[in-house]
Amino acid sequence: MTIQSLPLLHVIEPIPASDSALAALNLMLDLAINHLPVVDAHGHYLGMLTLTDLLHEILPAGLRLGHGIGQPDVSFLGDAASLLSTHLGQLSARTAGDVADPHVVPLETDCPLVEAARRLAEARNPLPVVDADRHIVGVLSVRLLLTHLLGRGVQNDAR
């Protein structure tokens, strides 16, 4: 069985890489979604953008995770709302393609279900699903996969 048989989470139109990161953030907040596929001008998948990626962009560089600073004492910053607001405004100068993670390897529609489950278990976020032309057809989440498997198991037990 492949993931083609799964009812994939419907993806609202992926965002073009050339759109601003601020536009991507607004779209994600408006649609109440946490992940957004990013595509090139031809609609081919380039990467995934998450609210966490965008949050990292508005944090001052010295506070971003991954810079080797454990849990710094930032009490000297006060509430720093104006600093965060300034960085948030700067998202309009960055593109969705600049901020998207190109290392999120998509699942292909002919991916076996067990391989998709393995990849999801290793991923930190839902995974995009692409067709043979690398166009987005959906996003597969752990919740969706488990819901499908549970429903399938219940059907099999009823026989």
Side-chain angles (χ1 to χ4, degrees):
M1 177 181 281
T2 67
I3 61 174
Q4 277 180 317
S5 62
L6 296 178
L8 297 175
L9 177 67
H10 175 68
V11 175
I12 306 302
E13 202 64 30
I15 194 158
S18 59
D19 281 13
S20 77
L22 186 58
L25 174 59
N26 283 319
L27 179 63
M28 293 168 79
L29 293 175
D30 288 347
L31 299 175
I33 58 176
N34 297 322
H35 311 90
L36 192 59
V38 178
V39 296
D40 66 15
H42 303 289
H44 301 119
Y45 171 78
L46 293 176
M48 282 293 271
L49 185 59
T50 69
L51 285 177
T52 302
D53 296 330
L54 293 166
L55 178 59
H56 284 228
E57 289 298 312
I58 66 169
L59 287 173
L63 301 181
R64 292 183 193 151
L65 297 175
H67 280 326
I69 299 173
Q71 294 179 351
D73 178 8
V74 295
S75 59
F76 68 92
L77 290 173
D79 91 7
S82 63
L83 178 63
L84 295 175
S85 182
T86 298
H87 285 208
L88 185 61
Q90 292 171 349
L91 283 180
S92 61
R94 308 260 339 258
T95 67
D98 291 338
V99 182
D101 184 352
H103 299 106
V104 177
V105 178
L107 298 167
E108 295 181 358
T109 54
D110 62 352
C111 179
L113 196 56
V114 70
E115 174 63 12
R118 184 192 67 76
R119 295 259 322 274
L120 277 171
E122 294 172 354
R124 64 182 179 105
N125 292 309
L127 294 172
V129 179
V130 297
D131 63 18
D133 295 323
R134 295 192 54 85
H135 292 112
I136 296 289
V137 296
V139 175
L140 183 61
S141 67
V142 171
R143 179 181 306 275
L144 186 82
L145 177 66
L146 292 176
T147 299
H148 175 77
L149 292 175
L150 181 61
R152 189 169 178 78
V154 169
Q155 291 172 356
N156 286 341
D157 288 346
R159 291 182 194 165

